[in-house]
Amino acid sequence: MTLFRLDASILPATSASRELGDLVEAEWVAAHPDSTVLRRDLSADPVPATAWRDAVQGGFTPEADRTDEQRAALALAQTFADELRAAEALLFTVPLYNYGVSQHFKTWFDLTYTVPGVDPQGTDLRGKPATLVTVLGGNYAEGTPKEGWDHSTAWLRRVLEDVWGLDLRVVHRPFTLVGVNPALDAFAEPAAELKRTAEAAAVQSGRELAERRSDRVA
């Protein structure tokens, strides 16, 4: 039994998304102590920026005529897709960066999406239980001054939930830069409450992830 975990934070030592992911993972491991956690760290091992281009071009090129770069990109894409297919449950921790999707995650998704079965023609992942942990330095909720500036969370839900058809739960924590950015010091109290809420949601999501896996094999 395998939990696939992908981390996209570029600051692993201080990553709020990874901390929440650890809570989710701990619940999974507690429920399935003999399971394997397969990790893909997109900060430690980023996807080459040219890989998606090479895989797409390679897909339109006869196998005998492909470049070494195209073959390598297609093989890497296949590895990514196989990791998702082989796991019983999935965990993604992806921060908001500069109001948009992490480039590391986007490059990983684009490359994986070239593989038959997880491409636009169909998905082998439909119904697989998954948790998405996403964190935001500020707060972009309804009624805030920067409402609508989060251009990551909706996209992540779209590709994971609607395109791949995952049975997705989302753990969401805003205001992670409170205590880091002095301009946000006034929001210390609500930020602390949001942190506690997200931590509780991560624990609950981890338990549900383990249970949903059990339901799938019952």
Side-chain angles (χ1 to χ4, degrees), residues 2-7 18 21-26 28-29 35-42 44-45 79-80 83 87 89 91 93 108:
T2 300
L3 170 68
F4 171 79
R5 174 173 175 172
L6 179 147
D7 293 295
R18 291 181 192 235
D22 289 345
L23 295 176
V24 177
E25 180 185 324
W28 167 273
V29 172
S35 64
T36 298
V37 180
L38 175 61
R39 305 179 192 281
R40 182 155 292 279
D41 187 334
L42 298 181
D45 190 17
T79 296
F80 291 169
E83 288 174 347
L91 170 60
T93 74
W108 172 86

Side-chain angles (χ1 to χ4, degrees), residues 146-167:
K146 289 189 175 178
E147 176 185 348
W149 284 48
D150 172 9
H151 298 287
S152 176
T153 306
W155 183 87
L156 290 167
R157 295 198 69 139
R158 180 70 69 189
V159 298
L160 297 176
E161 197 166 26
D162 298 333
V163 176
W164 277 350
L166 300 178
D167 181 11

Side-chain angles (χ1 to χ4, degrees), residues 22-171:
D22 289 345
L23 295 176
V24 177
E25 180 185 324
E27 294 300 319
W28 167 273
V29 172
H32 304 292
D34 297 326
S35 64
T36 298
V37 180
L38 175 61
R39 305 179 192 281
R40 182 155 292 279
D41 187 334
L42 298 181
S43 176
D45 190 17
V47 182
T50 56
W52 178 58
R53 177 204 65 190
D54 292 337
V56 171
Q57 292 178 351
F60 291 106
T61 304
E63 186 172 357
D65 298 330
R66 290 170 182 165
T67 66
D68 290 343
E69 291 78 11
Q70 289 169 349
R71 294 190 182 94
L74 288 165
L76 185 59
Q78 189 66 57
T79 296
F80 291 169
D82 289 345
E83 288 174 347
L84 294 173
R85 291 189 182 113
E88 280 74 23
L90 311 173
L91 170 60
F92 306 95
T93 74
V94 187
L96 171 77
Y97 284 141
N98 299 322
Y99 312 111
V101 180
S102 157
Q103 68 162 354
H104 298 297
F105 184 88
K106 182 65 163 59
T107 306
W108 172 86
F109 175 84
D110 286 343
L111 185 58
T112 307
Y113 199 42
T114 64
V115 177
V118 295
D119 62 357
Q121 280 66 52
T123 176
D124 297 337
L125 307 177
R126 194 163 302 281
K128 185 164 290 194
T131 292
L132 166 66
V133 172
T134 183
V135 303
L136 307 88
N139 191 349
Y140 311 102
E142 183 177 354
T144 63
K146 289 189 175 178
E147 176 185 348
W149 284 48
D150 172 9
H151 298 287
S152 176
T153 306
W155 183 87
L156 290 167
R157 295 198 69 139
R158 180 70 69 189
V159 298
L160 297 176
E161 197 166 26
D162 298 333
V163 176
W164 277 350
L166 300 178
D167 181 11
L168 188 69
R169 304 291 187 272
V170 179
V171 177

